Amino acid sequence: DPGRTRLYASGCVGRCLRPGSAMLPPPRFRSSTVSVVKRRRSRLCRILAVAVPTCVIIALQIHAAGHFEESIELEASAHGRRMAAEASRHVNHTSPPAPRASAANGSAHHAVQPLPPTQCSRHRRPYHVLVPCSLSVEHQWQARLSYHRYLRLKESDPCSDLGGFTRLLTSPDGKPDLLAAEMPTVVTRQLKRSGRCDDCDHGFPLLNRPWAVRRLLAFHRKEVKEEYILLLEADMPLLAPVDNGAEGGAAPLSPVGVESRALKASKLRNETKAVLRRWHSPLREVAPVGPSALLVHKRQLEALAGPWLNVSLSLRRDEAASSALGPLLERWAWSLAAAEAGVAHQIRPTLQAEPEGTGLSEVGLFSVYHMTSELRVGRSWNWSKRAFTRSYPPRIPPLPPNKGAKKSTFAFVRLLNDAVDAAGRRWMPLYNRTRQNRTAQLASLEESIGQTKQLILEQLVVPDADRRTVDAVDRQQGGCGAGEGPPRCERTAAVSPAVVSPSPPSPPSPASSWR
């Protein structure tokens, strides 16, 4: 109700407003909006005549904005116009006016500048998160989990060393998939399958990893704007931002990695050591560090990407090396290529956590979670990524307390459930629902096939009366009737004419068919 807004003009302004005064607003405003005290005029009222209409307009604006329901009291003074303008900007939350030049001296009335952005107290050395992936369903949900966790950490700690994010996808035709619209993706053509050429995978799909990294730095180098790269795998979501400070961070010639027990040369058999010495000797110079997780300078990764791929191909072509190294061949290729180039790695034990069984007691010190092993809690709960190679994992129910689960297991459950809850119905992709529909269709088809087979068998079964006649004939001829001989005996004896079905008519002759 506009009548609720009242303007109480104090001092001489109230004495100026009386019936018949030229300073009064139009009747429609005076009757419904403004209620003033009628007093006599004075000389000072004529000086403040300009401020009165401004006060009335501001009162109407205040009421329209709906910020106050009670009466508003304005003190009209010599600075009434300036105060009214400031009140109007404050109530309506409008931006200050643009700087305008004064006609007197050409100076400008500067507007209020916005606050400067938050300044980080530490010197940042940002790195680019690079996650090579394939088109498999397993890599897709793992990449979505990693990207969701990256966004959470980026939002919670903007002053960390986290830079950009790229999903490095390899596809047979070099075309993107549906997830390319959800996260930053660079697509490269994958190696040819089951070939022996230089651009073939030799039956080892993991060779696409060094192949994709090499092509990224050769043809899409501008996509990586940071000087450092954090190379991860699809199943390595971040627990916390990796610190790349001046002390303990990666150097231009010294990458940071985590020690792997499977890559220790001292744990190998003598036959395997003899095979590896053909690529580098002595083996004590080979660092047990695979290229994941790895914090490395971009120029150094660009220099080692080619030797990494070449050593991987040579190891795969060698039957003894391929059989001895197995799925770790690509990781050994990185260590051998780095040792041959004289690159010394910095070992950071807290870079990556690999919980297994009941998990780890302390997980807050680690930056990367590698979900490579099966998690078990008691005898009733277990979780493994290998159970979801062709489908998306559902939301994990809360773990029961006091069942032996450690902090790392609870951290992973929260991490996965957070990604599932944030995605909602989009977590299960369309093709996953289509796959469920296909399964239902196949089940229905199998059921119909079974019914058809049953009908066919019912038509082929000999009736009981005819079966008794056949058994009697078999017993007379010494054959295998009911109760005699093996249970499954072919009845090749002659059957009486009573049980022989009439033969089908002979096909027409060619002449009749032509006619």
Side-chain angles (χ1 to χ4, degrees), residues 260-270 272-273 288 332:
S260 177
R261 293 174 295 178
L263 299 179
K264 288 186 177 181
S266 58
K267 305 293 184 180
L268 300 177
R269 296 182 301 175
N270 294 332
T272 307
K273 292 180 181 179
W332 272 107

Side-chain angles (χ1 to χ4, degrees), residues 239 353-364 366 369 375 381 399 404-415:
L239 292 173
E354 292 186 2
E356 58 182 354
T358 57
L360 300 175
S361 300
E362 295 295 334
V363 72
F366 297 94
Y369 187 100
L375 301 177
W381 187 90
L399 296 178
K406 298 183 180 179
K407 293 183 179 180
S408 63
T409 305
F410 287 101
F412 173 73
V413 171
R414 290 193 300 267
L415 188 147

Side-chain angles (χ1 to χ4, degrees), residues 246-290:
E247 297 181 1
L253 298 178
S254 182
V256 176
V258 61
E259 188 178 42
S260 177
R261 293 174 295 178
L263 299 179
K264 288 186 177 181
S266 58
K267 305 293 184 180
L268 300 177
R269 296 182 301 175
N270 294 332
E271 296 81 3
T272 307
K273 292 180 181 179
V275 171
L276 293 178
R277 285 192 183 98
R278 289 186 289 167
W279 278 267
H280 185 79
S281 183
L283 290 179
R284 64 174 178 270
E285 298 179 355
V286 180
V289 176

Side-chain angles (χ1 to χ4, degrees), residues 185-481:
T185 302
V186 173
V187 187
T188 61
R189 182 183 57 83
Q190 71 181 22
L191 293 170
K192 300 177 183 178
R193 295 183 178 180
S194 302
R196 308 295 295 182
C197 56
D198 291 341
D199 56 348
C200 300
D201 63 359
H202 297 70
F204 190 66
L206 292 179
L207 291 181
N208 284 295
R209 197 159 180 260
W211 165 266
V213 172
R214 182 184 180 184
R215 291 183 65 86
L216 170 71
L217 298 177
F219 301 103
H220 306 279
R221 198 174 190 274
K222 63 180 181 179
E223 300 293 337
V224 181
K225 299 180 176 59
E226 293 79 6
E227 291 296 326
Y228 292 90
I229 293 177
L230 179 61
L231 187 59
L232 301 175
E233 294 182 5
D235 58 347
M236 292 183 178
L238 290 172
L239 292 173
V242 178
D243 186 15
N244 192 27
E247 297 181 1
L253 298 178
S254 182
V256 176
V258 61
E259 188 178 42
S260 177
R261 293 174 295 178
L263 299 179
K264 288 186 177 181
S266 58
K267 305 293 184 180
L268 300 177
R269 296 182 301 175
N270 294 332
E271 296 81 3
T272 307
K273 292 180 181 179
V275 171
L276 293 178
R277 285 192 183 98
R278 289 186 289 167
W279 278 267
H280 185 79
S281 183
L283 290 179
R284 64 174 178 270
E285 298 179 355
V286 180
V289 176
S292 57
L294 185 74
L295 184 59
V296 60
H297 198 275
K298 181 168 58 175
R299 290 194 300 267
Q300 190 174 42
L301 182 60
E302 187 176 7
L304 289 177
W308 180 21
L309 177 61
N310 295 333
V311 175
S312 300
L313 291 173
S314 61
L315 288 173
R316 184 61 182 176
R317 288 167 179 166
D318 189 276
E319 295 182 1
S322 179
S323 60
L325 302 180
L328 300 176
L329 183 145
E330 166 259 341
R331 299 170 64 87
W332 272 107
W334 169 267
S335 300
L336 293 171
E340 194 69 18
V343 176
H345 291 77
Q346 302 180 42
I347 305 299
R348 186 187 295 182
T350 58
L351 179 62
Q352 175 181 301
E354 292 186 2
E356 58 182 354
T358 57
L360 300 175
S361 300
E362 295 295 334
V363 72
L365 302 176
F366 297 94
S367 302
V368 180
Y369 187 100
H370 190 193
M371 45 184 176
T372 182
S373 303
E374 181 183 8
L375 301 177
R376 296 184 302 274
V377 178
R379 298 182 179 179
S380 59
W381 187 90
N382 65 329
W383 194 94
S384 176
K385 68 173 184 179
R386 294 169 179 83
F388 304 100
T389 57
R390 297 183 179 181
S391 62
Y392 273 54
R395 194 181 192 278
I396 303 178
L399 296 178
N402 302 327
K403 293 295 182 179
K406 298 183 180 179
K407 293 183 179 180
S408 63
T409 305
F410 287 101
F412 173 73
V413 171
R414 290 193 300 267
L415 188 147
L416 180 61
N417 289 345
D418 185 29
V420 175
D421 296 341
R425 295 190 60 184
R426 295 183 294 106
W427 177 250
M428 293 292 180
L430 179 61
Y431 59 82
N432 208 41
R433 296 193 293 268
T434 306
R435 183 174 178 270
Q436 297 176 358
N437 296 338
R438 290 178 180 175
T439 304
Q441 293 176 1
L442 288 177
S444 177
L445 181 60
E446 290 178 357
E447 183 180 0
S448 62
I449 291 176
Q451 296 176 358
T452 305
K453 289 171 63 177
Q454 184 67 22
L455 293 175
I456 294 175
L457 292 177
E458 289 178 358
Q459 294 179 1
L460 294 179
V461 168
V462 181
D464 294 339
D466 298 340
R467 185 182 299 279
R468 289 193 295 270
T469 306
V470 172
D471 294 342
V473 173
D474 290 340
R475 284 194 294 270
Q476 293 178 2
Q477 297 182 357
C480 49

